[in-house]
Amino acid sequence: MMDKLIDFASQNPILAALYASLFTWGMTALGASLVFFFKKAKRSVMDAMLGFTGGVMVAASFWSLLAPAIDNSPGEGFAKVVPAAVGFLMGAVVLFGLDKLLPHLHINFKRDEAEGMKTNWHSTTLLVLAITLHNIPEGLAVGVLFGAAANLEGVEQIAMITSAISLAIGIGIQNFPEGFAVSMPLKRQGVSGLKSFWYGQLSAVVEPVAAVLGAVAVSIFTPILPYALAFAAGAMIFVVIEEVIPETQRDKYTDLATMGFIAGFIVMMSLDVGLG
């Protein structure tokens, strides 16, 4: 099975990026569909889920993105880490800018704690925008890895594709609880089950778009590969520190959230190393 996936991705990297990101989107929708079966979710479960999401993102940032960025950079010593450092900083800065401009509301936050430009938009819309914001780097990361494989050969190409596949699986796994974590707060606010599901899955619709754009950019402009990989990593780390972790630290279940983070990190690390 893995051999067939690798062969397909080596011949159709952009299409592979699209399919992989559709999978991660589908996992979000699957998680959001739980809103039809549960009337409410315990805060402890929600915090543990969010912690798990953060762990996956942090592990993916290093094992799937930063390490390959450094490996694919020219030069030796400090020169070799420059592209990764620059790309990492750029990713964080771009997400910082989006965070300040795009109106959004973090999970577990009150309406008057909304961030970004001031607006009268409903808290439902703001909550979906917050999750959409942090799905952008996830989709971009998957696309960049698949796109990178287009310009590699042999063992290096196989390693990049397996890393892309493991990242897609890891993000898909963490998108499942994420979809649930978006839809349930909406239901608590009085939104119908169908609308809660719709908004929950809608938060990940940006992933296929970001994935295809990332794959196309890297496959055409090969020299930007290490920068693009590190860019996605910087964006993901920014999201974890700015959004995911604060969302888990507002109640008495911080220890559960921390253990969820550890579990997510171990799962993503195991996937990347095991499949690679």
Side-chain angles (χ1 to χ4, degrees):
M1 181 65 176
M2 180 61 75
D3 290 340
K4 292 182 178 179
L5 289 174
I6 292 173
D7 183 59
F8 174 79
S10 64
Q11 298 180 44
N12 308 276
I14 296 175
L15 196 57
L18 175 61
Y19 288 161
S21 56
L22 287 175
F23 162 73
T24 61
W25 178 19
M27 290 297 288
T28 304
L30 190 61
S33 70
L34 294 178
V35 76
F36 296 120
F37 305 100
F38 296 93
K39 293 183 178 180
K40 61 180 181 179
K42 293 183 178 179
R43 179 63 180 269
S44 58
V45 174
M46 300 287 284
D47 284 350
M49 285 181 171
L50 287 171
F52 182 88
T53 293
V56 169
M57 293 176 73
V58 170
S61 296
F62 175 74
W63 296 99
S64 298
L65 298 170
L66 278 177
I70 295 171
D71 289 342
N72 285 276
S73 297
E76 298 292 337
F78 285 109
K80 193 172 181 63
V81 80
V82 168
V86 172
F88 190 85
L89 177 61
M90 290 173 60
V93 168
V94 169
L95 261 293
F96 173 80
L98 290 174
D99 183 71
K100 295 302 179 186
L101 293 174
L102 183 68
H104 62 283
L105 178 66
H106 297 184
I107 298 173
N108 298 327
F109 280 55
K110 297 178 181 178
R111 176 61 180 81
D112 58 6
E113 295 178 286
E115 298 182 359
M117 297 176 62
K118 299 301 180 182
T119 177
N120 293 322
W121 293 349
H122 194 275
S123 57
T124 299
T125 303
L126 297 177
L127 179 61
V128 173
L129 286 175
I131 303 300
T132 301
L133 181 64
H134 102 223
N135 280 331
I136 293 175
E138 293 176 3
L140 181 63
V142 171
V144 166
L145 283 172
F146 277 110
N151 297 299
L152 298 174
E153 296 180 354
V155 176
E156 290 184 344
Q157 184 184 60
I158 293 175
M160 191 65 72
I161 292 173
T162 53
S163 183
I165 293 173
S166 66
L167 177 62
I169 293 173
I171 288 178
I173 291 172
Q174 65 99 15
N175 273 3
F176 180 81
E178 187 176 276
F180 184 62
V182 177
S183 59
M184 284 308 299
L186 296 180
K187 192 172 184 178
R188 286 202 306 268
Q189 293 175 13
V191 179
S192 69
L194 184 59
K195 284 188 175 181
S196 296
F197 164 76
W198 172 254
Y199 286 123
Q201 64 81 32
L202 190 64
S203 66
V205 73
V206 70
E207 289 192 7
V209 177
V212 170
L213 290 176
V216 170
V218 172
S219 62
I220 294 176
F221 305 105
T222 309
I224 72 168
L225 172 58
Y227 295 93
L229 289 169
F231 181 96
M236 289 177 72
I237 292 296
F238 180 90
V239 165
V240 172
I241 303 301
E242 167 65 19
E243 297 188 19
V244 178
I245 290 179
E247 289 165 4
T248 67
Q249 304 298 305
R250 295 172 63 86
D251 212 314
K252 59 184 178 181
Y253 304 110
T254 56
D255 289 342
L256 281 175
T258 300
M259 295 311 297
F261 182 99
I262 297 300
F265 190 99
I266 291 173
V267 167
M268 188 62 241
M269 179 179 64
S270 300
L271 281 171
D272 199 285
V273 176
L275 292 179

